[in-house]
Amino acid sequence: MASSFSNIGAICKLPSAPSISSISRALFPTTLCSYRHSRISRPRSRRLCIRSSYAGAVRENPNSDAIDVVADVKTERIVVIGGSGFVGSAICKAAVSRGIEVISLSRSGRPSYSGSWVDQVTWMTGDVFYANWDELLVGVTAVVSTLGGFGSDEQMQKINGEANVVVVNAAKDYGIPKFILISVHDYNLPSFLLQSGYFKGKRRAESEVLSKFPSSGVVLRPAFIYGKRKVNGVEIPLDLIGEPVEKLLRATESFIKPLNSLPASDLVLAPPVSVDDVAYAVINAIKDDDCFGIFTIEQIKEAAAGVKV
């Protein structure tokens, strides 16, 4: 699919139908062009040394009358838009596990399920069109948007496009250093399908991220995302489908590669992506100040692998 963006430089480079209603909603979480990326780095832990005359926990310095106070400090504070959803909750959980302060904004607020990490997230109920950004964005180092949905053409353009644009511009206005968007694989669908509200909305959102955050905006473009998804209290084990399919496609990659040129072939041949890989790729983007650009399926997996180890 043609893109309005040309490749830009970075510190390091990475290898950069039927109607929408008839395609399974689980297939798409988002689209655009190939981009060049910065390096993928492993997460960093930071410690702050403070010279002080008093502290509850201190380490004495034999060479000085002063006291060295060594404290672990949370260096990142993020807002996850849609944090109570399938992908959003995985991102919140992964961020908490890495010592990142997390605020979630979603229409449903705090999720119904439990977990030790749930209590460590600040859950806020609200709509991005009416959000109190003064309350949400002060002191934030990154905003992550998982917004996306299906419906009428108008509804899809609003939630996939307009809603994300509102968040991007709010983040820009408040001087947030980084913006991360969960988008969708660039499917090789016929052009008339790519003009639907779903894809047009996603393209508009990506365009906004890359124009407002040209050197710090990150767009992740997974295909089908699998994991244990909870809907109305019922757990749907998408991993029972996605994981075997991913392994099969990888095992037969050399044989099916010639089929990739066929129209709409990657509806079937694009490898599924674990929700954990998406979450850890987000963590990589948060931790690495030089990380930016559009990440394809393989680049998402590579970014996640760098954080997992």
Side-chain angles (χ1 to χ4, degrees):
M1 180 175 61
S3 167
S4 59
F5 294 95
S6 60
N7 289 344
I8 66 173
I11 289 184
C12 297
K13 303 174 185 176
L14 290 178
S16 159
S19 65
I20 290 297
S21 61
S22 67
I23 300 175
S24 168
R25 298 187 176 201
L27 186 59
F28 304 111
T30 328
T31 223
L32 197 65
C33 59
S34 67
Y35 226 70
R36 291 163 78 180
H37 309 275
S38 66
R39 67 176 183 272
I40 293 175
S41 69
R42 297 180 181 177
R44 308 185 296 266
S45 61
R46 302 180 185 174
R47 296 174 69 81
L48 177 64
C49 293
I50 307 170
R51 304 287 290 184
S52 173
S53 60
Y54 172 81
V58 301
R59 182 180 67 204
E60 294 184 3
N61 185 340
N63 299 319
S64 173
D65 293 332
I67 297 174
D68 289 336
V69 180
V70 181
D72 288 320
V73 177
K74 289 185 177 180
T75 57
E76 292 92 10
R77 184 185 190 193
I78 69 170
V79 170
V80 180
I81 307 297
S84 59
F86 173 48
V87 177
S89 60
I91 293 170
C92 290
K93 182 178 180 180
V96 166
S97 74
R98 297 306 169 115
I100 298 172
E101 184 179 351
V102 182
I103 301 168
S104 165
L105 175 68
S106 64
R107 290 183 176 182
S108 57
R110 184 186 177 97
S112 58
Y113 47 87
S114 59
S116 59
W117 66 271
V118 176
D119 295 330
Q120 299 181 59
V121 176
T122 301
W123 302 98
M124 303 188 72
T125 304
D127 188 310
V128 296
F129 291 105
Y130 309 101
N132 183 348
W133 299 115
D134 286 329
E135 182 181 6
L136 279 168
L137 297 182
V138 174
V140 168
T141 56
V143 173
V144 184
S145 178
T146 67
L147 289 177
F150 288 85
S152 67
D153 198 72
E154 181 180 357
Q155 289 171 330
M156 290 189 291
Q157 288 201 54
K158 183 175 183 179
I159 187 64
N160 297 320
E162 185 179 347
N164 277 310
V165 168
V166 167
V167 181
V168 172
N169 282 284
K172 180 66 175 179
D173 290 343
Y174 278 78
I176 307 304
K178 176 157 288 190
F179 196 100
I180 303 164
L181 175 71
I182 309 302
S183 193
V184 71
H185 175 63
D186 188 11
Y187 289 95
N188 58 355
L189 295 171
S191 58
F192 74 91
L193 284 178
L194 297 176
Q195 295 304 308
S196 71
Y198 183 87
F199 289 107
K200 286 180 70 174
K202 290 297 188 180
R203 286 196 297 270
R204 182 184 175 194
E206 293 187 357
S207 178
E208 199 73 10
V209 171
L210 297 174
S211 63
K212 295 297 173 61
F213 295 85
S215 60
S216 63
V218 176
V219 175
L220 302 184
R221 299 168 62 213
F224 170 68
I225 299 177
Y226 67 84
K228 295 191 181 338
R229 182 169 194 163
K230 293 184 179 180
V231 179
N232 298 324
V234 178
E235 187 173 88
I236 302 176
L238 296 177
D239 51 330
L240 295 181
I241 300 173
E243 191 170 2
V245 170
E246 180 186 10
K247 290 180 178 179
L248 176 63
L249 290 176
R250 291 194 175 281
T252 59
E253 184 177 6
S254 59
F255 299 100
I256 64 177
K257 191 172 183 179
L259 301 177
N260 291 335
S261 60
L262 297 177
S265 61
D266 53 2
L267 283 174
V268 177
L269 301 180
V273 181
S274 163
V275 69
D276 290 332
D277 280 348
V278 174
Y280 282 117
V282 169
I283 302 304
N284 177 80
I286 293 169
K287 293 285 188 179
D288 187 352
D289 295 335
D290 298 318
C291 176
F292 66 94
I294 294 180
F295 283 68
T296 63
I297 294 172
E298 290 304 317
Q299 290 161 344
I300 289 172
K301 293 177 184 292
E302 184 179 352
V307 174
K308 286 179 179 179
V309 296

